[in-house]
Coordinates of all heavy atoms in Angstrom, one line a residue:
V6 N 126.7 27.2 46.6 CA 125.6 28.0 46.0 C 124.5 28.1 47.1 O 124.1 27.1 47.7 CB 125.0 27.5 44.8 CG1 123.8 28.3 44.3 CG2 126.0 27.4 43.7
L7 N 124.1 29.4 47.3 CA 123.0 29.6 48.3 C 121.9 30.2 47.4 O 122.1 31.1 46.6 CB 123.4 30.6 49.4 CG 122.3 31.1 50.2 CD1 122.7 31.0 51.7 CD2 122.0 32.5 49.9
A8 N 120.7 29.7 47.7 CA 119.5 30.3 46.9 C 118.3 30.6 47.9 O 118.2 29.8 48.8 CB 119.0 29.3 45.9
R9 N 117.8 31.8 47.8 CA 116.6 32.1 48.5 C 115.5 32.6 47.6 O 115.7 33.4 46.7 CB 116.9 33.3 49.5 CG 117.9 33.0 50.6 CD 117.3 32.2 51.6 NE 118.2 31.9 52.7 CZ 118.9 30.8 53.0 NH1 118.8 29.8 52.1 NH2 119.7 30.6 53.9
C10 N 114.3 32.1 47.9 CA 113.1 32.5 47.1 C 112.1 33.2 47.9 O 111.9 32.9 49.1 CB 112.4 31.3 46.5 SG 113.3 30.5 45.2
N11 N 111.4 34.2 47.4 CA 110.3 34.8 48.1 C 109.1 34.2 47.6 O 109.0 33.5 46.6 CB 110.4 36.4 48.1 CG 110.1 36.9 46.6 OD1 109.6 36.2 45.7 ND2 110.3 38.2 46.4
P12 N 107.9 34.5 48.3 CA 106.6 34.0 47.8 C 106.2 34.3 46.5 O 105.4 33.5 45.8 CB 105.6 34.5 48.9 CG 106.4 34.8 50.1 CD 107.7 35.2 49.5
A13 N 106.7 35.4 45.9 CA 106.4 35.8 44.5 C 107.1 34.9 43.5 O 106.9 35.1 42.3 CB 106.7 37.3 44.3
G14 N 108.1 34.1 43.9 CA 108.9 33.3 43.0 C 110.2 33.9 42.6 O 110.9 33.4 41.8
D15 N 110.5 35.2 43.1 CA 111.8 35.7 42.8 C 112.8 35.0 43.6 O 112.7 34.6 44.7 CB 111.8 37.2 43.3 CG 110.8 38.0 42.5 OD1 110.5 37.8 41.4 OD2 110.4 39.0 43.1
M16 N 114.1 34.8 43.0 CA 115.1 34.0 43.6 C 116.4 34.9 43.6 O 116.8 35.4 42.6 CB 115.4 32.7 42.8 CG 116.4 31.8 43.5 SD 116.8 30.3 42.6 CE 115.2 29.7 42.0
L17 N 117.0 34.9 44.7 CA 118.4 35.4 44.9 C 119.4 34.2 45.0 O 119.1 33.3 45.7 CB 118.4 36.3 46.2 CG 119.8 36.9 46.5 CD1 119.6 38.2 47.3 CD2 120.7 35.9 47.4
V18 N 120.4 34.3 44.2 CA 121.4 33.3 44.2 C 122.8 33.9 44.6 O 123.2 34.9 44.1 CB 121.6 32.6 42.8 CG1 122.7 31.6 42.8 CG2 120.3 31.9 42.5
M19 N 123.5 33.3 45.5 CA 124.9 33.6 45.9 C 125.8 32.4 45.7 O 125.6 31.4 46.1 CB 124.9 34.1 47.4 CG 126.3 34.5 47.7 SD 126.4 35.2 49.5 CE 125.3 36.6 49.4
V20 N 126.8 32.7 44.8 CA 127.8 31.7 44.4 C 129.0 32.0 45.2 O 129.7 33.1 45.1 CB 128.0 31.7 42.9 CG1 129.0 30.6 42.5 CG2 126.7 31.4 42.2
Q21 N 129.6 31.1 45.9 CA 130.8 31.2 46.7 C 132.0 30.6 45.9 O 131.9 29.5 45.4 CB 130.7 30.6 48.0 CG 131.9 30.6 48.9 CD 131.7 30.2 50.2 OE1 130.8 30.6 51.0 NE2 132.6 29.2 50.6
T22 N 133.0 31.4 45.7 CA 134.2 30.9 45.0 C 135.5 31.6 45.7 O 135.3 32.4 46.5 CB 134.2 31.3 43.5 OG1 135.3 30.7 42.8 CG2 134.0 32.8 43.3
T23 N 136.6 31.1 45.3 CA 137.8 31.8 45.7 C 137.9 33.1 45.0 O 137.2 33.3 44.0 CB 139.0 30.9 45.4 OG1 140.2 31.5 46.0 CG2 139.3 30.8 43.9
T24 N 138.8 34.0 45.5 CA 139.0 35.3 44.8 C 139.4 35.2 43.4 O 140.2 34.3 43.1 CB 140.0 36.1 45.6 OG1 139.5 36.3 47.0 CG2 140.1 37.5 45.0
L25 N 138.7 35.9 42.5 CA 139.0 35.8 41.1 C 139.6 37.2 40.6 O 139.2 38.2 41.2 CB 137.7 35.5 40.3 CG 137.1 34.2 40.6 CD1 135.7 34.1 39.8 CD2 137.9 33.0 40.2
S26 N 140.5 37.1 39.6 CA 140.9 38.3 39.0 C 139.7 39.0 38.3 O 138.7 38.3 38.0 CB 142.0 38.1 38.0 OG 141.5 37.4 36.8
E27 N 139.8 40.2 37.9 CA 138.7 40.9 37.3 C 138.4 40.2 36.0 O 137.2 40.0 35.7 CB 139.0 42.4 37.1 CG 137.9 43.2 36.5 CD 136.7 43.3 37.4 OE1 136.9 43.2 38.6 OE2 135.6 43.5 36.9
E28 N 139.4 39.8 35.2 CA 139.1 39.1 33.9 C 138.5 37.8 34.2 O 137.5 37.5 33.5 CB 140.4 39.0 33.2 CG 140.3 38.3 31.9 CD 141.7 38.2 31.2 OE1 142.4 39.2 31.1 OE2 142.0 37.1 30.7
D29 N 138.9 37.0 35.2 CA 138.3 35.7 35.4 C 136.9 35.8 36.0 O 136.0 35.1 35.6 CB 139.1 34.9 36.4 CG 140.4 34.4 35.8 OD1 140.5 34.3 34.6 OD2 141.3 34.0 36.6
R30 N 136.7 36.8 36.8 CA 135.3 37.1 37.3 C 134.3 37.4 36.2 O 133.2 36.9 36.1 CB 135.3 38.2 38.3 CG 133.9 38.5 38.9 CD 133.9 39.8 39.7 NE 133.9 40.9 38.9 CZ 132.9 41.4 38.1 NH1 131.7 40.9 38.2 NH2 133.1 42.5 37.4
K31 N 134.8 38.3 35.2 CA 133.9 38.6 34.1 C 133.6 37.4 33.3 O 132.4 37.2 32.9 CB 134.6 39.6 33.2 CG 133.8 40.1 32.1 CD 134.5 41.2 31.3 CE 133.7 41.6 30.1 NZ 134.3 42.6 29.3
R32 N 134.6 36.5 33.0 CA 134.3 35.3 32.2 C 133.4 34.3 33.0 O 132.5 33.7 32.4 CB 135.6 34.6 31.9 CG 136.4 35.2 30.8 CD 137.4 34.3 30.2 NE 138.3 33.8 31.2 CZ 139.6 34.1 31.3 NH1 140.1 35.0 30.5 NH2 140.3 33.6 32.3
F33 N 133.6 34.2 34.3 CA 132.7 33.4 35.1 C 131.3 33.8 35.1 O 130.4 33.1 34.9 CB 133.3 33.4 36.5 CG 132.5 32.5 37.5 CD1 132.6 31.1 37.5 CD2 131.6 33.0 38.4 CE1 131.9 30.3 38.4 CE2 130.8 32.3 39.2 CZ 131.1 30.9 39.2
V34 N 131.1 35.1 35.2 CA 129.7 35.7 35.2 C 129.1 35.5 33.9 O 127.9 35.1 33.8 CB 129.7 37.2 35.7 CG1 128.4 37.8 35.5 CG2 130.1 37.3 37.1
E35 N 129.9 35.7 32.8 CA 129.3 35.6 31.5 C 128.9 34.1 31.2 O 127.9 33.9 30.5 CB 130.3 36.0 30.4 CG 130.5 37.5 30.4 CD 131.7 37.9 29.4 OE1 132.5 37.1 29.0 OE2 131.8 39.2 29.3
A36 N 129.6 33.2 31.8 CA 129.2 31.7 31.6 C 128.1 31.3 32.6 O 127.2 30.5 32.2 CB 130.4 30.8 31.9
L37 N 128.0 32.0 33.8 CA 127.0 31.6 34.7 C 125.6 32.2 34.4 O 124.6 31.4 34.5 CB 127.4 32.2 36.1 CG 126.4 32.0 37.2 CD1 126.3 30.5 37.6 CD2 126.9 32.8 38.4
L38 N 125.5 33.4 34.1 CA 124.2 34.0 33.8 C 123.3 33.2 32.8 O 122.1 33.0 33.1 CB 124.3 35.4 33.5 CG 124.8 36.3 34.6 CD1 125.0 37.8 34.1 CD2 124.1 36.2 35.9
P39 N 123.8 32.9 31.6 CA 122.9 32.1 30.7 C 122.4 30.8 31.3 O 121.3 30.4 31.0 CB 123.8 31.8 29.5 CG 124.9 32.9 29.6 CD 125.1 33.1 31.0
E40 N 123.1 30.2 32.3 CA 122.7 28.9 32.8 C 121.5 29.1 33.8 O 120.8 28.2 34.2 CB 123.9 28.3 33.5 CG 125.0 27.8 32.6 CD 124.6 26.8 31.5 OE1 123.7 26.0 31.8 OE2 125.1 27.0 30.3
L41 N 121.4 30.4 34.4 CA 120.3 30.6 35.3 C 119.1 31.1 34.7 O 118.0 31.3 35.4 CB 120.9 31.7 36.3 CG 122.1 31.2 37.1 CD1 122.6 32.5 38.0 CD2 121.9 30.0 37.9
E42 N 119.1 31.4 33.4 CA 117.9 31.9 32.7 C 116.7 30.9 32.8 O 117.0 29.7 32.7 CB 118.2 32.2 31.2 CG 119.0 33.4 31.0 CD 119.3 33.7 29.5 OE1 118.6 33.1 28.6 OE2 120.2 34.5 29.3
G43 N 115.6 31.4 33.0 CA 114.3 30.6 33.0 C 114.2 30.0 34.4 O 113.2 29.2 34.6
L44 N 114.9 30.2 35.4 CA 114.8 29.6 36.7 C 114.2 30.6 37.8 O 114.1 30.3 38.9 CB 116.2 29.2 37.2 CG 116.9 28.1 36.4 CD1 118.3 27.8 37.0 CD2 116.1 26.9 36.3
G45 N 113.8 31.8 37.2 CA 113.2 32.7 38.2 C 114.2 33.6 39.0 O 113.9 34.1 40.0
V46 N 115.6 33.5 38.6 CA 116.6 34.2 39.4 C 116.5 35.6 39.0 O 116.6 36.0 37.8 CB 118.0 33.6 38.9 CG1 119.1 34.4 39.6 CG2 118.1 32.1 39.3
T47 N 116.4 36.4 40.0 CA 116.3 37.9 39.8 C 117.4 38.7 40.4 O 117.5 39.9 40.2 CB 115.0 38.4 40.5 OG1 115.0 38.1 41.8 CG2 113.7 37.9 39.8
S48 N 118.4 38.0 41.1 CA 119.5 38.6 41.7 C 120.6 37.6 41.9 O 120.4 36.5 42.3 CB 119.1 39.1 43.0 OG 120.1 39.9 43.6
V49 N 121.8 38.0 41.5 CA 123.0 37.1 41.6 C 124.1 37.9 42.2 O 124.5 39.0 41.9 CB 123.5 36.6 40.2 CG1 124.7 35.7 40.4 CG2 122.3 35.9 39.4
F50 N 124.7 37.2 43.3 CA 125.8 37.8 44.0 C 127.0 36.8 43.9 O 126.8 35.5 43.9 CB 125.5 37.9 45.4 CG 124.7 39.2 45.7 CD1 123.3 39.0 45.5 CD2 125.2 40.4 46.1 CE1 122.5 40.1 45.8 CE2 124.3 41.5 46.3 CZ 123.0 41.3 46.1
L51 N 128.2 37.2 44.0 CA 129.4 36.4 44.1 C 130.0 36.7 45.5 O 130.1 37.8 46.0 CB 130.5 36.7 43.1 CG 130.1 36.5 41.7 CD1 131.4 36.8 40.8 CD2 129.7 35.0 41.4
L52 N 130.4 35.5 46.2 CA 131.0 35.7 47.6 C 132.4 35.1 47.4 O 132.5 33.9 47.0 CB 130.2 34.9 48.6 CG 130.7 35.1 50.0 CD1 129.5 34.9 51.0 CD2 131.7 34.0 50.4
F53 N 133.4 35.9 47.7 CA 134.8 35.4 47.5 C 135.3 35.0 48.8 O 135.4 35.7 49.8 CB 135.7 36.5 46.9 CG 135.2 37.0 45.6 CD1 134.7 38.2 45.4 CD2 135.3 36.2 44.5 CE1 134.2 38.7 44.1 CE2 134.8 36.6 43.2 CZ 134.3 37.8 43.1
N54 N 135.7 33.7 48.9 CA 136.2 33.1 50.1 C 137.5 32.3 49.9 O 137.4 31.4 49.2 CB 135.1 32.2 50.7 CG 135.6 31.5 51.9 OD1 136.4 32.0 52.7 ND2 134.9 30.3 52.3
D55 N 138.6 32.8 50.5 CA 139.8 32.2 50.3 C 140.3 31.3 51.5 O 141.4 30.9 51.6 CB 140.9 33.2 50.0 CG 140.7 33.9 48.7 OD1 140.4 33.2 47.8 OD2 140.9 35.1 48.7
E56 N 139.3 31.0 52.4 CA 139.6 30.2 53.6 C 139.7 28.7 53.3 O 139.1 28.3 52.2 CB 138.5 30.5 54.7 CG 138.4 31.9 55.1 CD 139.7 32.4 55.8 OE1 140.3 31.7 56.5 OE2 140.1 33.5 55.4
V57 N 140.2 27.9 54.1 CA 140.3 26.5 53.9 C 138.9 25.8 54.2 O 138.8 24.6 53.8 CB 141.4 25.9 54.8 CG1 142.8 26.3 54.3 CG2 141.2 26.0 56.3
T58 N 138.0 26.5 54.8 CA 136.7 25.9 55.0 C 135.6 26.6 54.1 O 136.0 27.7 53.5 CB 136.2 26.0 56.4 OG1 136.0 27.4 56.7 CG2 137.2 25.4 57.4
D59 N 134.5 26.1 54.1 CA 133.5 26.9 53.2 C 132.8 27.9 54.0 O 131.8 28.6 53.5 CB 132.4 25.9 52.6 CG 131.6 25.1 53.7 OD1 132.0 25.2 54.9 OD2 130.7 24.4 53.3
A60 N 133.1 28.1 55.2 CA 132.5 29.2 56.0 C 133.4 30.5 55.8 O 134.5 30.6 56.4 CB 132.5 28.9 57.5
P61 N 132.9 31.5 55.2 CA 133.6 32.7 54.9 C 133.8 33.5 56.2 O 132.9 33.5 57.1 CB 132.8 33.4 53.9 CG 131.4 33.0 54.0 CD 131.6 31.6 54.6
R62 N 134.8 34.3 56.3 CA 135.0 35.3 57.4 C 134.0 36.4 57.2 O 133.5 36.7 56.1 CB 136.4 35.8 57.4 CG 137.4 34.7 57.7 CD 138.7 35.4 58.2 NE 139.7 34.3 58.4 CZ 139.9 33.8 59.5 NH1 139.2 34.0 60.6 NH2 140.9 32.9 59.6
P63 N 133.7 37.1 58.3 CA 132.7 38.3 58.1 C 133.2 39.4 57.2 O 132.5 40.2 56.7 CB 132.7 38.9 59.6 CG 133.1 37.8 60.5 CD 134.1 36.9 59.7
T64 N 134.5 39.4 56.9 CA 135.1 40.4 56.0 C 135.2 39.9 54.5 O 135.7 40.6 53.7 CB 136.6 40.7 56.5 OG1 137.3 39.6 56.5 CG2 136.6 41.4 57.8
A65 N 134.6 38.7 54.3 CA 134.7 38.2 52.9 C 134.0 39.2 51.9 O 133.0 39.9 52.3 CB 133.9 36.9 52.8
V66 N 134.4 39.3 50.8 CA 133.9 40.3 49.7 C 132.7 39.7 49.1 O 132.8 38.5 48.6 CB 135.0 40.6 48.7 CG1 134.4 41.5 47.6 CG2 136.2 41.3 49.4
V67 N 131.6 40.4 49.1 CA 130.4 40.0 48.4 C 130.1 41.0 47.3 O 130.1 42.2 47.6 CB 129.2 39.9 49.4 CG1 127.9 39.6 48.6 CG2 129.4 38.9 50.5
T68 N 129.9 40.5 46.0 CA 129.7 41.5 44.9 C 128.4 41.1 44.2 O 128.2 40.0 43.8 CB 130.8 41.3 43.9 OG1 132.1 41.5 44.6 CG2 130.8 42.3 42.8
H69 N 127.6 42.2 44.0 CA 126.4 42.1 43.2 C 126.8 42.1 41.8 O 127.4 43.0 41.3 CB 125.4 43.2 43.6 CG 124.2 43.2 42.8 ND1 123.9 44.1 41.9 CD2 123.1 42.4 42.8 CE1 122.7 43.9 41.3 NE2 122.2 42.8 41.9
V70 N 126.3 41.1 41.0 CA 126.8 41.0 39.6 C 125.6 41.0 38.6 O 125.8 41.2 37.4 CB 127.6 39.8 39.3 CG1 128.9 39.9 40.1 CG2 126.9 38.5 39.6
H71 N 124.3 40.9 39.1 CA 123.2 40.8 38.1 C 121.9 41.1 38.9 O 121.7 40.5 40.0 CB 123.1 39.5 37.5 CG 122.0 39.3 36.5 ND1 121.9 39.9 35.3 CD2 120.8 38.6 36.7 CE1 120.8 39.6 34.7 NE2 120.1 38.9 35.5
G72 N 121.0 41.7 38.2 CA 119.6 41.9 38.8 C 119.4 42.8 39.9 O 120.2 43.8 40.1
K73 N 118.3 42.5 40.7 CA 117.9 43.4 41.8 C 119.0 43.3 42.9 O 119.5 42.2 43.1 CB 116.6 43.0 42.3 CG 115.5 43.1 41.4 CD 114.2 42.6 42.1 CE 113.0 42.6 41.1 NZ 111.8 42.1 41.7
P74 N 119.3 44.5 43.6 CA 120.2 44.4 44.7 C 119.7 43.7 46.0 O 120.5 43.4 46.9 CB 120.6 45.8 44.9 CG 119.4 46.6 44.4 CD 118.8 45.8 43.3
R75 N 118.4 43.6 46.1 CA 117.8 43.1 47.3 C 116.6 42.2 46.9 O 115.9 42.4 45.9 CB 117.3 44.1 48.2 CG 118.4 44.8 48.9 CD 118.0 46.0 49.8 NE 117.5 47.1 49.0 CZ 118.3 48.0 48.4 NH1 119.6 47.9 48.4 NH2 117.8 49.1 47.8
L76 N 116.3 41.2 47.8 CA 115.1 40.3 47.6 C 114.1 40.7 48.7 O 114.4 40.8 49.8 CB 115.5 38.8 47.8 CG 114.5 37.8 47.6 CD1 114.1 37.7 46.1 CD2 115.0 36.4 48.0
E77 N 112.9 41.1 48.2 CA 111.8 41.6 49.2 C 111.1 40.3 49.7 O 110.7 39.4 48.9 CB 110.8 42.4 48.5 CG 111.4 43.9 48.3 CD 110.3 44.8 47.7 OE1 109.2 44.4 47.5 OE2 110.6 46.0 47.6
M78 N 111.0 40.2 51.0 CA 110.3 39.1 51.7 C 109.1 39.7 52.4 O 109.3 40.3 53.4 CB 111.2 38.4 52.6 CG 112.4 37.8 51.9 SD 112.0 36.4 50.8 CE 111.7 35.1 51.9
P79 N 107.9 39.4 52.0 CA 106.7 39.9 52.7 C 106.5 39.1 54.0 O 106.6 37.9 54.0 CB 105.5 39.8 51.8 CG 106.0 38.7 50.8 CD 107.4 38.7 50.8
M80 N 106.2 39.8 55.1 CA 106.0 39.2 56.4 C 105.1 40.1 57.3 O 105.5 41.3 57.5 CB 107.3 38.9 57.1 CG 107.1 38.1 58.4 SD 108.6 37.8 59.2 CE 109.5 36.8 58.0
L81 N 103.9 39.5 57.7 CA 103.1 40.2 58.5 C 102.7 41.7 57.9 O 102.6 42.7 58.7 CB 103.6 40.4 59.9 CG 103.9 39.1 60.6 CD1 104.6 39.4 61.9 CD2 102.6 38.3 60.9
G82 N 102.5 41.7 56.7 CA 102.1 43.0 56.0 C 103.3 43.9 55.7 O 103.1 45.0 55.2
L83 N 104.5 43.5 56.0 CA 105.7 44.3 55.8 C 106.5 43.8 54.7 O 106.3 42.5 54.4 CB 106.6 44.3 57.1 CG 105.9 44.9 58.3 CD1 106.9 44.6 59.6 CD2 105.6 46.3 58.2
K84 N 107.3 44.5 54.1 CA 108.2 44.1 53.0 C 109.6 44.2 53.6 O 110.2 45.2 53.6 CB 108.1 44.9 51.7 CG 106.8 44.7 51.0 CD 106.7 45.5 49.7 CE 105.4 45.2 49.0 NZ 105.4 46.0 47.8
L85 N 110.2 43.1 54.0 CA 111.6 43.0 54.4 C 112.6 42.8 53.3 O 112.2 42.1 52.4 CB 111.7 41.9 55.5 CG 110.7 42.0 56.6 CD1 110.9 40.8 57.6 CD2 110.8 43.3 57.4
E86 N 113.7 43.4 53.4 CA 114.8 43.1 52.4 C 115.9 42.4 53.0 O 116.2 42.4 54.1 CB 115.3 44.5 51.9 CG 114.2 45.3 51.3 CD 114.7 46.6 50.7 OE1 115.8 47.1 51.2 OE2 114.0 47.3 49.9

């Protein structure tokens, strides 16, 4: 699990797992989202990695499953995504 927070308290969470079937992905997301309620999570992504290490290849599939598609990070008066 990777989590990033911005100064406003918004949190992006990326969960890494092996590739799941569409049905298994749906069940996983349905079980995951209630557990994240109340934690300030505004965006959830799944990263599918079938490698033997936890370092995914650049071609690993990343899927947005909930909330905002990007996390805004203010820096020097700019809003970076």
